[in-house]
């Protein structure tokens, strides 16, 4: 809390995100860690938008457009690339 290191253990079967250094967040991304958070010095960011089969593709496209629009408003002149990956 408040930027202090906190050790938590995920529940059995809980979804976590990790990299080669350790766990970066848990519970489907609702809690970010200090090491991976975005701040004023961040120059490269990666956002993942996912949907379940029941979500119309148009809704996912709309969410993507809203994210890009917001990023352009916050950081004019930034380079934004989008890719759709279907699995």
């Amino acid at each position: 809390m408040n930027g202090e290191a906190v050790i938590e253990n995920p529940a059995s079967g809980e979804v976590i995100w990790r990299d080669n250094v350790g766990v970066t967040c848990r519970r489907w991304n609702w809690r970010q860690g200090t090491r991976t958070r975005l701040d004023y010095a961040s120059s490269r960011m990666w956002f993942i938008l996912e949907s379940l089969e029941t979500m119309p593709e148009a809704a996912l496209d709309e969410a993507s457009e809203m994210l890009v629009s917001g990023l352009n408003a916050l950081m004019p002149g930034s380079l934004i690339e989008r890719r759709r990956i279907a699995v």
Side-chain angles (χ1 to χ4, degrees):
M1 294 193 158
N2 299 324
E4 300 167 6
V6 176
I7 296 174
E8 295 181 3
N9 295 303
S12 177
E14 179 181 336
V15 174
I16 62 168
W17 292 80
R18 66 174 296 277
D19 60 16
N20 290 335
V21 177
V23 174
T24 58
C25 62
R26 51 190 291 223
R27 296 192 180 118
W28 289 110
N29 237 9
W30 74 273
R31 185 184 303 178
Q32 294 287 345
T34 303
R35 182 173 61 84
T36 58
R37 73 178 170 204
L38 300 176
D39 64 17
Y40 69 93
S42 299
S43 62
R44 296 186 67 153
M45 302 168 203
W46 186 27
F47 297 92
I48 300 172
L49 303 182
E50 301 177 275
S51 68
L52 299 173
E53 291 179 11
T54 56
M55 181 180 188
E57 287 188 26
L60 185 60
D61 291 338
E62 181 180 355
S64 175
E65 290 291 335
M66 291 174 68
L67 175 60
V68 168
S69 177
L71 291 171
N72 280 324
L74 291 171
M75 299 173 287
S78 59
L79 172 63
I80 299 174
E81 295 181 31
R82 285 189 279 185
R83 291 191 180 99
R84 179 182 284 243
I85 301 170
V87 292

